[in-house]
């Protein structure tokens, strides 16, 4: 089984034959004179003395799947047994996504169907829609240029109609990650084999939340992605990575939970405690979901969006990070209650053993050996 646990914990989110263009139908308007009735493509302006006409500028619609750059569009066969290796950067279009392939990627014919199924999984488990787009100044093109070379995908998906999924061969310390409306994945991540199914779901959960709400900071971002991915993996009866948080959290000190409100950090501050946001985030989101119901995460997302929350990811900007912590804590309190963090600390003490047992029982039920715990 391909071991991606360490790469997963280090992720910081915190996820092409020719195309044809489309043009709009002309906007027609009827104008009547004393002698005849005609249909024209003009706008009518009436004054006290005369009726004059002015030309209407025709709206030109751009096909968001038409690439003006060097990379070609390819068609996928849909056959799982059909595979090929890309010889150059290229892309494919599915119903809701554009898949960008770098040179040297092995592509299975069913990768488009797998992508659509995972997008549908994420929408169903979160109740959110990828087509919802919050206002964002983020530009997809620099990220594409970084991995594919400038000019390969010029103008492609400029209006963000589709979810952008960048597929490359990740090597060494490279990791999967996601940002507003796009995810970077390894060439195996979109398929449904148990050892690779976790990653794409995790990154696409980031994407759908960032489509619907502002960035909530690494702790909630990663906690939400971890929590919903675990739910999906249990539906598929696949193993989950939760044992890392439950049993061997990397450099995680749970005193941050037990400190209550003072222990909450929304973003990366201590680089020596790299699992904080995954471990604290998973437990905190689990607590919120169990205590306040399944809509609480969306309530927090909406409140943060309304409050124009904009977290800083600069570890050297200590004052901004502290201000972010206070703003997000107040947002969370506003949709829960004043002592929510104290209740979280108590919930953690009361439920850690239960969560560990539930996970072990689940893993045993799907035939996994957890005797090493």
């Amino acid at each position: 089984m391909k071991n991606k646990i360490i790469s997963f914990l280090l992720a910081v989110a915190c996820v092409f034959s020719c195309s044809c263009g489309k043009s709009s139908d002309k906007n027609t308007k009827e104008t009547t004179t004393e002698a005849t009735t005609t249909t024209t493509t003009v706008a009518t302006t009436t004054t006290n003395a005369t009726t004059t006409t002015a030309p209407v500028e025709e709206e030109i619609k751009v096909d968001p799947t038409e690439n003006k750059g060097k990379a070609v569009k390819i068609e996928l066969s849909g056959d799982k047994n059909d595979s090929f290796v890309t010889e150059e950067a290229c892309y494919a279009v599915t119903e809701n996504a554009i898949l960008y392939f770098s040179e040297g990627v092995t592509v299975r014919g069913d990768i488009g169907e797998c992508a659509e199924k995972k997008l549908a999984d994420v929408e169903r488990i979160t109740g959110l829609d990828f087509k919802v787009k919050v206002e964002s100044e983020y530009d997809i093109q620099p990220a594409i240029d970084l991995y594919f070379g400038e000019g390969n995908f010029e103008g492609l998906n400029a209006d963000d109609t589709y979810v952008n999924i960048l597929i490359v061969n990740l090597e060494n310390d490279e990791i999967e990650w996601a940002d507003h409306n796009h995810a970077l994945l390894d060439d195996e991540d979109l398929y449904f084999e148990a050892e690779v199914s976790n990653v794409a779901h995790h990154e696409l959960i980031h994407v759908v939340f960032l489509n619907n709400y502002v960035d909530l900071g690494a702790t909630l971002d990663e906690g939400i992605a971890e929590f919903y991915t675990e739910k999906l993996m249990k539906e598929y009866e696949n193993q989950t990575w939760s044992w890392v948080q439950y049993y061997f959290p990397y450099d995680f000190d749970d005193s941050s939970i037990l400190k209550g409100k003072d222990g909450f950090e929304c973003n990366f501050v201590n680089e020596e405690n790299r699992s904080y946001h995954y471990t604290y985030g998973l437990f905190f989101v689990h607590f919120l979901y169990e205590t306040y119901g399944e809509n609480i995460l969306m309530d927090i997302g909406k409140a943060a969006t309304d409050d124009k929350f904009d977290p800083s990811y600069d570890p050297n900007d200590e004052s901004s990070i502290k201000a972010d912590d206070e703003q997000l804590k107040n947002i969370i309190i506003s949709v829960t209650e004043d002592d929510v963090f104290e209740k979280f600390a108590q919930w953690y003490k009361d439920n850690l053993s239960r969560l560990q047992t539930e996970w072990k029982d689940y893993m045993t039920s799907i035939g996994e050996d957890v005797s090493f715990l």
Side-chain angles (χ1 to χ4, degrees):
M1 180 183 74
K2 187 174 180 181
N3 184 359
K4 295 189 177 181
I5 293 173
I6 299 301
S7 293
F8 176 77
L9 288 176
L10 297 179
V12 297
C14 146
V15 30
F16 299 42
S17 89
C18 297
S19 60
C20 58
K22 299 179 182 178
S23 61
S24 64
D25 294 335
K26 292 183 178 179
N27 180 30
T28 60
K29 184 178 184 69
E30 289 192 357
T31 61
T32 305
T33 67
E34 291 181 348
T36 60
T37 300
T38 60
T39 301
T40 63
T41 57
V42 296
T44 302
T45 304
T46 303
T47 67
N48 292 334
T50 60
T51 299
T52 60
T53 60
V56 172
E57 191 172 311
E58 183 178 359
E59 180 185 359
I60 299 175
K61 291 184 179 179
V62 178
D63 182 349
T65 69
E66 183 177 6
N67 180 31
K68 298 178 182 178
K70 297 176 290 185
V72 299
K73 180 180 179 182
I74 62 172
E75 300 295 336
L76 300 168
S77 69
D79 184 353
K80 179 178 180 178
N81 298 313
D82 173 29
S83 65
F84 61 94
V85 178
T86 57
E87 297 181 355
E88 58 183 352
C90 54
Y91 73 102
V93 179
T94 68
E95 181 179 356
N96 295 292
I98 294 181
L99 311 181
Y100 304 77
F101 301 102
S102 65
E103 179 183 354
V105 168
T106 300
V107 179
R108 255 174 32 189
D110 66 335
I111 194 169
E113 284 82 353
C114 289
E116 285 296 322
K117 188 174 180 182
K118 291 199 173 185
L119 289 169
D121 280 345
V122 168
E123 286 189 325
R124 175 178 53 78
I125 203 70
T126 64
L128 299 175
D129 186 346
F130 281 104
K131 293 182 177 63
V132 174
K133 311 288 182 184
V134 297
E135 184 177 351
S136 173
E137 296 180 358
Y138 181 78
D139 185 0
I140 177 68
Q141 202 63 44
I144 292 180
D145 292 346
L146 177 65
Y147 287 93
F148 293 89
E150 187 173 354
N152 276 298
F153 302 102
E154 183 181 350
L156 186 64
N157 198 23
D159 62 357
D160 248 6
T161 305
Y162 293 82
V163 176
N164 301 284
I165 301 178
L166 287 59
I167 302 170
V168 302
N169 289 315
L170 294 176
E171 299 176 353
N172 302 323
D173 293 329
E174 294 180 303
I175 54 176
E176 294 90 344
W177 56 280
D179 210 314
H180 174 73
N181 205 37
H182 82 282
L184 177 79
L185 301 175
D186 190 55
D187 60 350
E188 297 181 355
D189 289 336
L190 278 174
Y191 305 117
F192 277 83
E193 287 73 13
E195 64 268 25
V196 298
S197 189
N198 294 264
V199 182
H201 282 116
H202 178 101
E203 301 305 337
L204 291 172
I205 288 166
H206 284 316
V207 174
V208 76
F209 265 85
L210 289 170
N211 273 349
N212 283 262
Y213 308 112
V214 295
D215 187 350
L216 298 175
T219 299
L220 284 185
D221 286 347
E222 299 302 345
I224 287 168
E226 288 275 84
F227 176 75
Y228 281 119
T229 300
E230 182 176 16
K231 288 173 70 69
L232 279 170
M233 291 306 95
K234 286 182 176 179
E235 287 187 6
Y236 282 110
E237 296 187 348
N238 285 352
Q239 61 176 310
T240 75
W241 290 331
S242 303
W243 65 273
V244 179
Q245 282 81 16
Y246 293 153
Y247 294 96
F248 306 109
Y250 181 77
D251 286 344
F252 179 72
D253 181 357
D254 64 2
S255 66
S256 58
I257 295 176
L258 302 178
K259 288 178 184 177
K261 186 177 179 180
D262 293 336
F264 178 82
E265 298 174 359
C266 86
N267 254 330
F268 299 91
V269 178
N270 184 356
E271 286 298 315
E272 296 179 358
N273 189 2
R274 288 176 289 178
S275 81
Y276 172 94
H277 307 286
Y278 294 89
T279 305
Y280 186 110
L282 174 62
F283 285 126
F284 188 51
V285 168
H286 203 140
F287 155 74
L288 289 172
Y289 194 91
E290 283 194 355
T291 306
Y292 300 101
E294 61 185 29
N295 292 326
I296 188 60
L297 303 175
M298 289 65 187
D299 292 341
I300 293 172
K302 183 179 185 305
T305 303
D306 292 344
D307 207 42
K308 301 187 184 329
F309 181 65
D310 184 16
S312 169
Y313 280 88
D314 181 358
N316 298 314
D317 190 356
E318 186 175 348
S319 62
S320 291
I321 289 176
K322 287 183 177 178
D324 292 341
D325 288 344
E326 292 307 309
Q327 183 182 4
L328 188 55
K329 281 188 280 191
N330 289 331
I331 289 169
I332 294 168
I333 288 170
S334 73
V335 295
T336 55
E337 49 195 328
D338 290 342
D339 60 347
V340 58
F341 292 97
E342 288 69 32
K343 286 187 174 179
F344 171 47
Q346 187 62 50
W347 176 92
Y348 175 78
K349 289 190 291 185
D350 293 343
N351 289 279
L352 177 60
S353 177
R354 169 180 68 88
L355 295 172
Q356 291 174 333
T357 300
E358 287 178 354
W359 183 82
K360 289 175 68 174
D361 290 345
Y362 165 72
M363 291 291 282
T364 301
S365 74
I366 62 172
E368 297 288 340
D369 181 10
V370 291
S371 59
F372 63 96
L373 295 175

